Amino acid sequence: MDKNVARRGFLAGGAALGAGALISACTSNEPAATQQASASAAAPAAKEGNDAPGEKVVIGFSAPAADHGWIAAISKNAADAAKQYTDVEFKPVEPTNDINQQISAVESLIQAKVNVLVILPNDGQQLNQVARQAMDAGIPVVNVDRIFPDKLSYRAWIGGDNYGMGVAAGHHIGKTLKDKGVSNPVILEIQGIATLPLTQDRSKGFADALKTYGFTVAAQQDAKFTVESGTQVATNLLQAHKKIDAIWNHDDDQGIGVLAAIKEAGRNEFLMVGGAGSANAMRDIQADSGVLKATVTYPPTMAASAIKIARLIAQGKGMSDLLEQQVPQSITLASETITKDNAAQYLPLGFES
């Protein structure tokens, strides 16, 4: 997470979705009148290409309730992206963490005959059937993050790279410790929810990356993605391990609790890497005054990209930077590593925990 390359990785297909031209200021030796004329000539033009207004589309949106910062950012990014287009009517349903309520909410959008659906399911397996109902009814589904197991249940999927998160964290920790000449390090891992496939993918990527340095995870415990559990789990691990070299915490939201426990214990002999890319974590990394030295991204901007994708699908368009005439079936976003050297570039894209 070079500046332009990193931002493209973080924003995924944003530019390919037909974003407007970026106009940058520059200094000039021209007379003031000439500069003013040039500025007028460079005034923002009407939207072109895929961003130009087209056939009106109604986009239905369903996501879990915002019980932590990342999910809150998902809903906000989706709504903000929809506002960019005069040809989009954004139709969100009440967010909920109840599976049956989310199924009912999606069914209401199917009955309303929206043009396209964007769904971040509480559980991909349990909402697979209602997504298939939408597809069978001729309503394309853009599946965000938690994937439906049946590919006939969605037209396109966009999400983060959970395995890649683990790989990025593992390489950062592995290289840092290797460069310091640390042998047989004590590396701890604080997961989100251990039973989730996404967590298992993150842990596998982490272990695989560490293995390339000859390192392994000494202890692993999940913190349920909550601040309270983060505090409790970190406290237990700190008490159990008198010497620690590194910690990877999967989630920056629960990381608030993890960092509180570390501060309370007065421990600072190790480095910590976070996960997801919260603004809180980035500010801590910039300050460089504690154990948190990096975080690896799992960008909630995927919801904004999902809205853009949904609009293109409903209007029968492809991505302007690709030769193909239709939107790809699957888009996996890169997980980037944010350190104090590049945190300023990513901070505007971070979410508040």
Side-chain angles (χ1 to χ4, degrees), residues 3-346:
K3 178 174 180 179
N4 290 332
V5 172
R7 286 178 66 90
R8 285 200 301 272
F10 194 81
L11 287 168
L17 295 171
L22 177 64
I23 300 173
S24 59
C26 60
T27 57
S28 173
N29 292 323
E30 295 176 353
T34 304
Q35 289 186 42
Q36 184 175 359
S38 298
S40 299
K47 291 183 177 180
E48 299 178 353
N50 280 346
D51 276 346
E55 179 185 352
K56 182 177 179 179
V57 298
V58 180
I59 300 178
F61 178 77
S62 176
D67 56 0
H68 59 284
W70 189 87
I71 288 290
I74 282 284
S75 295
K76 183 179 186 302
N77 279 317
D80 288 349
K83 291 174 184 175
Q84 296 176 18
Y85 300 102
T86 58
D87 54 11
V88 168
E89 179 184 339
F90 186 59
K91 194 176 182 67
V93 290
E94 187 69 25
T96 177
N97 291 327
D98 182 279
I99 296 294
N100 291 326
Q101 287 181 14
Q102 188 174 25
I103 290 172
S104 296
V106 172
E107 287 175 339
S108 73
L109 291 171
I110 296 172
Q111 292 165 6
K113 297 183 179 180
V114 297
N115 298 110
V116 60
L117 271 169
V118 175
I119 306 174
L120 170 58
N122 276 286
D123 183 293
Q125 180 73 46
Q126 295 190 62
L127 268 85
N128 182 73
Q129 185 175 353
V130 73
R132 178 65 185 271
Q133 289 174 17
M135 290 287 289
D136 289 347
I139 301 174
V141 173
V142 177
N143 182 192
V144 181
D145 192 41
R146 301 167 187 170
I147 195 165
F148 299 125
D150 182 0
K151 287 193 174 183
L152 294 177
S153 295
Y154 59 93
R155 163 58 184 83
W157 172 86
I158 181 168
D161 185 355
N162 287 294
Y163 180 83
M165 279 185 74
V167 169
H171 278 310
H172 184 82
I173 287 174
K175 185 178 185 305
T176 300
L177 296 181
K178 208 73 170 178
D179 288 349
K180 290 181 177 180
V182 178
S183 59
N184 300 316
V186 176
I187 301 173
L188 309 183
E189 181 182 1
I190 302 178
Q191 302 168 305
I193 298 174
T195 56
L196 291 179
L198 68 89
T199 298
Q200 295 160 11
D201 286 345
R202 292 178 186 185
S203 291
K204 188 176 188 311
F206 189 51
D208 287 351
L210 289 177
K211 194 182 301 181
T212 65
Y213 300 90
F215 300 154
T216 59
V217 175
Q220 182 186 76
Q221 194 170 343
D222 67 340
K224 314 298 183 187
F225 292 121
T226 71
V227 173
E228 294 76 17
S229 292
T231 301
Q232 182 180 354
V233 167
T235 298
N236 294 341
L237 288 171
L238 291 166
Q239 291 173 348
H241 299 272
K242 301 308 177 186
K243 174 187 176 293
I244 300 171
D245 294 289
I247 296 176
W248 180 37
N249 166 58
H250 285 208
D251 179 73
D252 287 335
D253 281 326
Q254 73 184 21
I256 292 175
V258 173
L259 289 170
I262 292 170
K263 183 178 180 179
E264 179 67 23
R267 301 281 292 272
N268 61 6
E269 79 276 13
F270 52 85
L271 77 140
M272 176 173 146
V273 174
S278 76
N280 310 60
M282 292 183 208
R283 287 190 289 266
D284 284 348
I285 291 165
Q286 276 185 311
D288 196 23
S289 58
V291 298
L292 186 62
K293 301 301 181 184
T295 187
V296 291
T297 64
Y298 199 82
T301 50
M302 65 178 71
S305 294
I307 294 296
K308 291 173 179 283
I309 289 169
R311 174 179 173 270
L312 293 181
I313 291 172
Q315 293 180 343
K317 299 175 182 177
M319 290 182 175
S320 60
D321 286 352
L322 302 182
L323 296 179
E324 289 72 25
Q325 298 300 304
Q326 295 187 15
V327 169
Q329 192 268 346
S330 179
I331 300 173
T332 302
L333 309 183
S335 182
E336 302 287 347
T337 303
I338 300 176
T339 67
K340 67 177 181 179
D341 295 329
N342 63 2
Q345 300 169 22
Y346 289 99

